[in-house]
Amino acid sequence: MATEIERKFLVLNDDWRRQAAPGARLRQGYLSSGAACSIRVRSAGDHAQLNIKSATLGVSRREYEYAIPVGDASELLDHFCDGPLIEKTRYAVEYAGHVWEVDVFEGDNAGLIVAEIELDSEDEVFEKPAWAGVEVSHDPRYYNVCLVKHPYKDWRP
């Protein structure tokens, strides 16, 4: 069984950009999202994945990810996923021995910038960078699966 342990924070400013690797544009959509799990298709350049993630709230969730052909991902995104699709650019930022992923959202979710860190255990100690603000790991509004049906533009603080 695969488990993802991830903490999610809102980004306060652009200071992270000085340390960021070049970004990768992601396009993702959901084939299904229900009480038990979500099934996502993601395409990024010449890579694509099918992802199944438990619908539990919190920092620890079951997750399975499988590579699929990019052409298949494009067809699934264009014809089978609920819209609007999630479009964002993801940047990797190394900080204090961890790699943070900073997602800059576009479209209906423009203005939202979230930083995520994957951990080996829920109680793993890590240093939070100054540009990472309030934690939103337990707020479902910030889950990508929720941003499809309730985009940031409709509820942003």
Side-chain angles (χ1 to χ4, degrees), residues 27-29 41 43 72-81 85:
R27 193 170 165 240
Q28 69 186 44
V41 176
S43 179
D72 290 357
S74 291
E75 283 190 31
L76 290 168
L77 288 164
D78 291 341
H79 302 291
F80 292 93
C81 292
L85 298 178

Side-chain angles (χ1 to χ4, degrees), residues 42-96:
R42 176 184 284 161
S43 179
D46 59 355
H47 296 89
Q49 298 93 18
L50 181 65
N51 172 285
I52 303 163
K53 190 180 288 193
S54 65
T56 53
L57 185 63
V59 299
S60 201
R61 299 191 282 172
R62 291 183 178 144
E63 179 182 41
Y64 304 88
E65 194 161 76
Y66 307 97
I68 61 172
V70 173
D72 290 357
S74 291
E75 283 190 31
L76 290 168
L77 288 164
D78 291 341
H79 302 291
F80 292 93
C81 292
D82 293 334
L85 298 178
I86 297 290
E87 296 182 277
K88 59 187 177 181
T89 301
R90 173 168 285 171
Y91 300 87
V93 181
E94 290 189 33
Y95 183 84

Side-chain angles (χ1 to χ4, degrees), residues 62-148:
R62 291 183 178 144
E63 179 182 41
Y64 304 88
E65 194 161 76
Y66 307 97
I68 61 172
V70 173
D72 290 357
S74 291
E75 283 190 31
L76 290 168
L77 288 164
D78 291 341
H79 302 291
F80 292 93
C81 292
D82 293 334
L85 298 178
I86 297 290
E87 296 182 277
K88 59 187 177 181
T89 301
R90 173 168 285 171
Y91 300 87
V93 181
E94 290 189 33
Y95 183 84
H98 286 92
V99 175
W100 290 73
E101 293 178 334
V102 177
D103 289 342
V104 179
F105 288 82
E106 302 166 21
D108 287 349
N109 294 298
L112 179 59
I113 304 175
V114 175
E116 300 174 348
I117 182 172
E118 287 202 23
L119 304 170
D120 292 325
S121 67
E122 286 191 33
D123 60 353
E124 181 178 343
V125 176
F126 64 94
E127 184 179 338
K128 187 174 95 166
W131 44 262
V134 67
E135 184 170 3
V136 294
S137 301
H138 292 62
D139 188 338
R141 294 179 302 169
Y142 293 95
Y143 289 9
N144 287 301
V145 67
C146 294
L147 290 170
V148 170

